[in-house]
Amino acid sequence: MRRVFFREMSAFLSTPVPYFITGIFLLASGLFFFHETAAVSLLSSRIAQTQVSAGVSLSELLLVPFFWDASMLVIFLGPLVSQGLYAGKGTPGPAYVFPVSDGKIAFGRYLAALGVLGAMLFLNAFHVAVLAFFTAPDWGIVFSSSLGLLLLGAAVLAMGAFASALTRHQASSAALAMGIALVFWTAGWFAPLMPGSTTGAVLQELSIPFHLSRFFRGMISLRDLSFFLALTVFFLGLTAIFRGGKGTGAQATPPGEFRAVRGAGFIVLLACTLLFAHLILIGHDMSGDVSSNGRNRLDLRTENIIRRLKSDVGILVFQPAGKNARGAGGLLDLFAKESRRISFSVVDPDLQPSLARRYGITRYGQAVILARGRSVVLERGGEEEIANALLSLEQGRKKNIYVLSGHGEGDIFSTGRAGLSGLRESLERSGYGVHKSILSGQDAVPWDADLLVIPGPRVELGPEELYAVSRFIEKGGSLLVALEPRTDGGLKALLAEMGVELNGAVVKDPSSRALGGDESVLVVDTYGEMKGLVGFSHTTLFPTARPLGMGRKLPPRTVVSPVARASEASRSSEAGEPGADRAGVSGGYENREGPPSIALLARKTSRTGVQAGVLVFGDADFLTNAYLNVSGNRDLAAACVGMLLHGGPYVPIDARRGDERPFVLTPAQGFAAFLFSVVLLPLPFLLAGAWFKRAEGCE
């Protein structure tokens, strides 16, 4: 077989066909790659201009679309590679001086075609190598995607071999092979029309995109491997049966009819074995994540929540059929694998409108969590939203958060830079109820409040409001206070009773100037060791923060712990000192031992055993829309809310986990990428094809 393979490969490479097909493949894939690269670069540029911290996932926006485009090229060009090898069918081929059957020749030609296709896909990865000069692509996804394309190509080439056995005309054979491949490509399109039926499940299982999508996400699954292997063996078996078994070469081979029957029996046995193995893997699949950053695994915090579930949970995600539905199904499958208590379904709201109306679904992407007779509608069915909804449902009653208003605080419904709509939406996605509270003229905080947030009051609270807040704390309520420098909102005495001291200083960090920023903008990466911040490692940004101190003598039954500290290089200066407010002036710093704290958590236990928690930040701007999505600000706010309400963390799953470093191409870099992918890579193969074509003409 090895001699047959090398003989067929040598004969094939002496024709212009493989060079032209490779050149066309690289040219088309290069155009697709450059288009996707330019689009991601433009998006990164726009994000940089708006100064919003948003993850740009190269895998989702560039690599995955690029490999989907490449898969279509394999569908349409793969049969041409196969027909190029079978071009000599019916005419004398390479002379064999040793006994060899037509089946071995056909299989040798198939392996030669697969070798050419493998070389094409290897060269296709050179497009992605260009990214290494600008950013850090996920090579694990590149590997798994290339493997998926190779398995797809193996199946398409087998279809081409089968089509070649049915007809002598190359054009008809190529068209037939493409048609067979497209049947398997589109089979899954009809599965959503038959939800819950066996026919729909079979169509979904026969769908090439269904199995290919996981390779493109960086997952290698035995279920998907067995599908492509079974498809390849099936069509190779049909090829062997339809070609018969005439011998060729120096000696005769066994009678063709006997060899055809023997070959058919072997193929049927192998196909049945693969089918049986595939059916087992459908329910007991084993898969591995080869992406470099674990994008296909649940966060450890999510896994802990799932393992603690004590009741059955149903998850519905409303998405139309397509790649979004496949992505949602892949995520929910990860949840279901962690616990048998979780069941899920991806629902097309256009096909099941009554179910969508029952839960008040108004747009694609929303999800519904069903547990303990309750339902929670989520605005999006991401890992973070589902995990925190599960946490909220397991903990019982929905927690209510009230945000104080009426003293110049940011408004929770305002979408401006100083508004708090981003904070409200983030907390609501996590299953909390978020409401506005006006305490003026009231003697108590709303009765159903679990947490009161006071976000940067510019005017002091009145006596009756302070009394209401004090009573709320005494009854075990939780309080989150964010205060800007130079103002305390009239809360100084109340906070002192909790062991937190305020002063009029401003924290300055000279090292911030080295990063091109103002020294009053603090970049924080040091946090307390309390339970709610275990594993929290994000950097956070605080513009113009004040230092917070612990009382020298804490009140009885009170514990104060630091939540966030500025860097070792930071110092505090009095707000009124000359130079304290002038950028570039480093004088006036007060020497203090250790870095100043900019967030403190005070817990006080009453005589009756009721514990209240007060968390104080020396900055309020970090909660506003202008800064909430910068670095880890949102995650820190969420973690602190979790500490106050649950004694443990809200689960701030990193929504940007796995996002590679975005990039912006200069005109020169864009031209270089275009030149390499569209010109330099495919040109040598096109020229080689032209040379071989001319050599054939001369003969």
Side-chain angles (χ1 to χ4, degrees):
M1 179 57 68
R2 184 176 60 181
R3 287 185 294 175
V4 175
F5 166 73
F6 283 114
R7 178 66 65 85
E8 294 294 337
M9 177 66 81
S10 176
F12 190 40
L13 294 180
S14 63
T15 68
V17 175
Y19 302 99
F20 277 130
I21 294 178
T22 302
I24 293 172
F25 176 82
L26 293 176
L27 176 62
S29 63
L31 288 171
F32 289 139
F33 177 77
F34 178 74
H35 173 266
E36 303 294 346
T37 302
V40 174
S41 174
L42 180 61
L43 178 61
S44 297
S45 176
R46 290 177 177 174
I47 290 175
Q49 291 173 3
T50 57
Q51 297 182 346
V52 175
S53 176
V56 177
S57 173
L58 296 182
S59 299
E60 295 179 3
L61 299 182
L62 195 159
L63 295 182
V64 172
F66 169 64
F67 283 113
W68 278 116
D69 294 336
S71 67
M72 294 307 299
L73 293 177
V74 171
I75 291 286
F76 288 105
L77 294 181
L80 299 182
V81 175
S82 178
Q83 298 313 309
L85 271 168
Y86 292 107
K89 178 166 65 74
T91 62
Y96 287 94
V97 296
F98 49 88
V100 57
S101 67
D102 283 349
K104 286 187 176 181
I105 293 176
F107 189 62
R109 288 176 176 175
Y110 171 79
L111 292 180
L114 187 60
V116 171
L117 182 64
M120 290 167 53
L121 296 176
F122 174 76
L123 293 170
N124 185 59
F126 278 76
H127 292 305
V128 184
V130 175
L131 291 177
F133 293 98
F134 314 119
T135 184
D138 192 326
W139 292 108
I141 288 184
V142 175
F143 169 75
S144 63
S145 299
S146 299
L147 176 61
L149 290 178
L150 182 62
L151 293 170
L152 171 64
V156 171
L157 291 177
M159 296 173 190
F162 170 65
S164 179
L166 294 180
T167 176
R168 290 179 173 272
H169 301 286
Q170 295 180 46
S172 300
S173 298
L176 179 59
M178 293 178 192
I180 295 173
L182 289 176
V183 167
F184 283 93
W185 186 275
T186 59
W189 295 2
F190 305 97
L193 301 177
M194 294 166 277
S197 67
T198 303
T199 303
V202 171
L203 290 175
Q204 182 79 351
E205 199 60 35
L206 292 176
S207 171
I208 287 178
F210 174 75
H211 296 280
L212 204 57
S213 61
R214 281 182 279 201
F215 285 103
F216 292 168
R217 297 203 312 267
M219 292 186 68
I220 297 179
S221 165
L222 288 180
R223 176 182 179 182
D224 301 326
L225 290 173
S226 67
F227 169 78
F228 285 109
L229 182 61
L231 202 61
T232 301
V233 170
F234 174 74
F235 281 101
L236 286 179
L238 290 179
T239 303
I241 294 173
F242 277 86
R243 279 191 177 277
K246 283 187 177 182
T248 187
Q251 298 179 4
T253 57
E257 183 178 353
F258 171 73
R259 298 190 70 257
V261 172
R262 187 179 65 180
F266 172 75
I267 293 299
V268 169
L269 179 61
L270 182 59
C272 290
T273 303
L274 290 173
L275 177 61
F276 180 72
H278 185 70
L279 291 175
I280 294 176
L281 289 173
I282 290 177
H284 304 82
D285 189 17
M286 297 179 62
S287 60
D289 181 11
V290 298
S291 62
S292 60
N293 32 44
R295 70 180 65 248
N296 298 302
R297 297 190 298 268
L298 293 177
D299 190 277
L300 290 177
R301 290 162 288 187
T302 302
E303 293 178 357
N304 290 333
I305 291 175
I306 296 174
R307 290 166 187 162
R308 292 198 302 264
L309 291 176
K310 299 178 181 178
S311 58
D312 293 337
V313 175
I315 305 176
L316 303 177
V317 174
F318 291 82
Q319 285 282 14
K323 66 177 184 179
N324 290 335
R326 291 194 296 270
L331 174 64
L332 296 178
D333 190 54
L334 295 177
F335 276 85
K337 286 181 179 179
E338 288 295 326
S339 174
R340 294 183 178 180
R341 291 188 175 276
I342 294 180
S343 60
F344 70 89
S345 178
V346 180
V347 181
D348 189 336
D350 298 325
L351 298 179
Q352 301 186 55
S354 59
L355 186 62
R357 286 195 299 269
R358 182 192 307 174
Y359 295 109
I361 301 301
T362 58
R363 62 180 182 82
Y364 297 141
Q366 290 181 299
V368 178
I369 312 297
L370 306 171
R372 294 187 173 184
R374 295 175 53 197
S375 63
V376 176
V377 179
L378 308 179
E379 287 303 308
R380 55 184 298 270
E383 178 184 350
E384 180 181 35
E385 289 77 12
I386 294 176
N388 284 283
L390 294 177
L391 180 62
S392 177
L393 287 171
E394 282 298 304
Q395 290 171 339
R397 182 181 66 86
K398 186 176 185 179
K399 302 289 186 178
N400 288 310
I401 301 173
Y402 282 81
V403 182
L404 191 63
S405 182
H407 312 86
E409 302 92 346
D411 190 274
I412 59 174
F413 297 103
S414 172
T415 58
R417 290 176 58 84
L420 300 174
S421 62
L423 179 64
R424 173 183 58 81
E425 293 169 359
S426 176
L427 295 175
E428 286 179 340
R429 285 198 304 267
S430 305
Y432 296 117
V434 184
H435 317 277
K436 183 188 293 187
S437 175
I438 299 178
L439 294 181
S440 180
Q442 305 293 326
D443 60 355
V445 174
W447 65 271
D448 60 343
D450 298 290
L451 172 65
L452 177 65
V453 180
I454 305 179
R458 299 184 181 182
V459 179
E460 292 187 358
L461 278 67
E464 71 282 358
E465 294 173 307
L466 292 173
Y467 174 76
V469 174
S470 179
R471 288 290 306 275
F472 177 68
I473 295 174
E474 290 176 3
K475 293 180 179 180
S478 297
L479 181 67
L480 191 153
V481 180
L483 297 173
E484 285 291 301
R486 307 177 183 87
T487 179
D488 58 22
L491 297 168
K492 186 173 183 178
L494 186 147
L495 296 178
E497 294 178 359
M498 295 294 297
V500 178
E501 291 186 348
L502 304 177
N503 57 50
V506 176
V507 180
K508 302 278 188 174
D509 189 351
S511 62
S512 297
R513 297 165 58 188
L515 302 176
D518 187 273
E519 58 186 15
S520 63
V521 178
L522 306 180
V523 178
V524 176
D525 61 0
T526 304
Y527 306 99
E529 298 179 355
M530 61 275 300
K531 178 181 177 182
L533 292 178
V534 171
F536 189 87
S537 58
H538 301 287
T539 57
T540 48
L541 186 143
F542 295 85
T544 317
R546 71 194 303 162
L548 302 175
M550 303 181 191
R552 294 183 179 179
K553 186 177 181 181
L554 295 178
R557 299 177 298 280
T558 301
V559 178
V560 180
S561 308
V563 173
R565 291 181 180 273
S567 71
E568 293 288 345
S570 63
R571 295 293 184 269
S572 60
S573 64
E574 291 299 325
E577 289 182 0
D581 299 331
R582 297 201 306 269
V585 179
S586 59
Y589 289 113
E590 176 186 349
N591 292 326
R592 299 182 54 183
E593 294 183 2
S597 297
I598 56 175
L600 294 175
L601 173 63
R603 292 196 180 276
K604 187 174 184 178
T605 305
S606 67
R607 292 185 178 87
T608 59
V610 177
Q611 187 180 70
V614 176
L615 199 152
V616 185
F617 283 97
D619 175 54
D621 288 336
F622 87 103
L623 294 174
T624 63
N625 297 334
Y627 297 98
L628 184 67
N629 290 322
V630 175
S631 192
N633 286 9
R634 178 180 68 94
D635 297 330
L636 179 62
C640 291
V641 168
M643 280 194 298
L644 291 171
L645 289 178
H646 309 300
Y650 157 86
V651 186
I653 306 303
D654 191 354
R656 297 174 293 279
R657 178 163 56 96
D659 292 337
E660 298 85 358
R661 188 172 64 252
F663 62 94
V664 178
L665 296 180
T666 65
Q669 291 171 334
F671 177 75
F674 176 85
L675 186 66
F676 176 80
S677 294
V678 182
V679 179
L680 296 181
L681 194 58
L683 184 61
F685 297 93
L686 295 175
L687 293 177
W691 186 85
F692 276 101
K693 185 67 176 177
R694 182 178 180 183
E696 281 186 350
C698 294
E699 295 177 0

